[in-house]
Amino acid sequence: MSFRHIEVEAITPAIGALISGVDLNHVKSDDVYEEIKLALWKHGAVFFRKQALNPEAYLKLGEKFGEMEQHEFFPHIEGHPQIQLISHQGNDAPETDRWHTDVTFRKKPNMVSILRITDLPPSGGDTMWMHAGAAFEALHPSLQTMLSGLNAEHDLPWHFRRIGAYEKIVRVNTAAGRPAITAAEQEMKMIGNNPPVTHPVVIVHPITGRKILFVNSIWTKRIQDLHLDLSESMLNMLFEWIKKPEFMMRFKWEKDSVAMWDNCATQHYAVFDYAPHYRAGQ
């Protein structure tokens, strides 16, 4: 595939490409965005260096891929609710140091995610991506057929319960002097606002037509219509399978690097090796 407006360099055969030759704050033609789209669908994740994006340019880039969203629990930058602030500091794990696809607890997860890193620790803090289409294609055909007939339940309140998030919310509210609300009340509110959703274990990508393994270790609770023991064993097997290095890449961030990834086709893992230092992005 040839590109006229950008330069695209593949990172691995399975996933990832570095895009150069463009200033995202001053895109002069919609053809540039169209070529970025083509590169993203081909490589699953694309990366830019030295892009100090202003909010308007950031939103314009996102809007080329669809309707912008607001996140369920991340804070956002002032005046722009579609641009979340993601930061971490301290020794407690941020809970993103596991392989996952973003927000599959929604009926309609977002198609594309974009992240710009603004603050880096002295070392570490890389992010890894894997292509779930490559992982599916490497399975034996009989296993592909079996998985293609199954559905899985994805559940935000369930994950919050297993990581003790409700108790953390209570501690934060108490420390801030906010009205007391118990962990059980927090959970009931979360369940009411975010009931479980069902997705196929294998989806067909709406743009490329490629079959994608669509279960992840954060949000996928169980495979429906299977005995719970079989569901747990099968999910654990798939969660281990996607960790093969042949499906993945690792990106070393620099300040103002920008990553875009196909959230239908990939999973990612934020490496937590920088404690207790600060790391942040938008």
Side-chain angles (χ1 to χ4, degrees):
M1 182 182 296
S2 60
F3 296 90
R4 296 177 52 226
H5 302 280
I6 58 176
E7 298 173 15
V8 181
E9 179 183 359
I11 295 174
T12 76
I15 183 171
L18 189 64
I19 294 180
S20 58
V22 60
D23 179 353
L24 294 175
N25 277 325
H26 301 95
V27 176
K28 299 178 180 179
S29 168
D30 279 345
D31 292 338
V32 175
Y33 293 117
E34 290 303 313
E35 291 195 356
I36 292 172
K37 286 183 181 181
L38 291 174
L40 180 63
W41 305 140
K42 178 180 179 180
H43 295 283
V46 296
F47 305 89
F48 306 80
R49 298 289 192 188
K50 297 180 174 60
Q51 301 283 345
L53 281 174
N54 61 58
E56 291 72 23
Y58 206 166
L59 291 173
K60 186 176 181 181
L61 176 63
E63 287 166 352
K64 296 299 178 180
F65 289 85
E67 183 181 353
M68 300 291 285
E69 66 180 18
Q70 298 182 36
H71 202 276
E72 283 78 1
F73 47 84
F74 283 131
H76 59 79
I77 68 173
E78 186 176 356
H80 298 283
Q82 305 93 338
I83 303 178
Q84 289 83 48
L85 290 170
I86 302 175
S87 63
H88 189 76
Q89 187 171 25
N91 291 302
D92 293 337
E95 300 299 340
T96 53
D97 57 339
R98 300 177 64 175
W99 286 103
H100 65 285
T101 300
D102 287 335
V103 298
T104 60
F105 55 81
R106 297 178 183 164
K107 289 183 179 180
K108 187 179 180 182
N110 61 288
M111 185 73 183
V112 174
S113 295
I114 311 175
L115 176 61
R116 169 193 165 211
I117 289 294
T118 56
D119 296 89
L120 284 168
S123 62
D126 297 351
T127 303
M128 302 176 69
W129 277 267
M130 61 78 60
H131 204 295
F136 176 77
E137 291 160 1
L139 291 170
H140 190 277
S142 60
L143 188 52
Q144 292 178 353
T145 299
M146 181 190 70
L147 293 173
S148 296
L150 297 173
N151 294 306
E153 192 172 286
H154 298 241
D155 194 336
L156 170 61
W158 166 77
H159 177 66
F160 269 36
R161 184 187 318 122
R162 65 177 178 162
I163 65 172
Y166 303 115
E167 290 78 8
K168 292 178 184 177
I169 294 171
V170 170
R171 290 196 296 270
V172 169
N173 287 341
T174 300
R178 301 188 185 101
I181 179 172
T182 67
E185 290 170 329
Q186 292 278 3
E187 182 169 5
M188 291 304 295
K189 181 179 179 181
M190 180 71 75
I191 291 172
N193 293 334
N194 300 275
V197 301
T198 299
H199 299 297
V201 171
V202 179
I203 64 170
V204 177
H205 194 281
I207 304 297
T208 67
R210 193 174 184 182
K211 289 187 175 181
I212 306 294
L213 190 61
F214 201 67
V215 293
N216 70 90
S217 66
I218 289 186
W219 306 121
T220 307
K221 179 179 181 180
R222 67 184 180 92
I223 297 177
Q224 293 182 332
D225 301 322
L226 293 186
H227 188 284
L228 286 176
D229 291 344
L230 288 176
S231 169
E232 183 177 358
S233 296
M234 186 170 294
L235 285 175
N236 285 336
M237 179 271 290
L238 294 174
F239 297 158
E240 285 300 312
W241 177 249
I242 68 159
K243 297 177 184 178
K244 286 178 68 67
E246 290 83 355
F247 309 145
M248 67 179 63
M249 58 154 289
R250 183 170 182 142
F251 185 69
K252 183 175 179 59
W253 293 99
E254 299 172 359
K255 180 178 170 57
D256 291 327
S257 293
V258 172
M260 302 182 64
W261 61 96
D262 180 338
N263 194 53
C264 282
T266 68
Q267 296 188 31
H268 55 285
Y269 183 116
V271 181
F272 183 55
D273 56 357
Y274 54 89
H277 299 287
Y278 183 68
R279 178 183 184 272
Q282 300 177 356

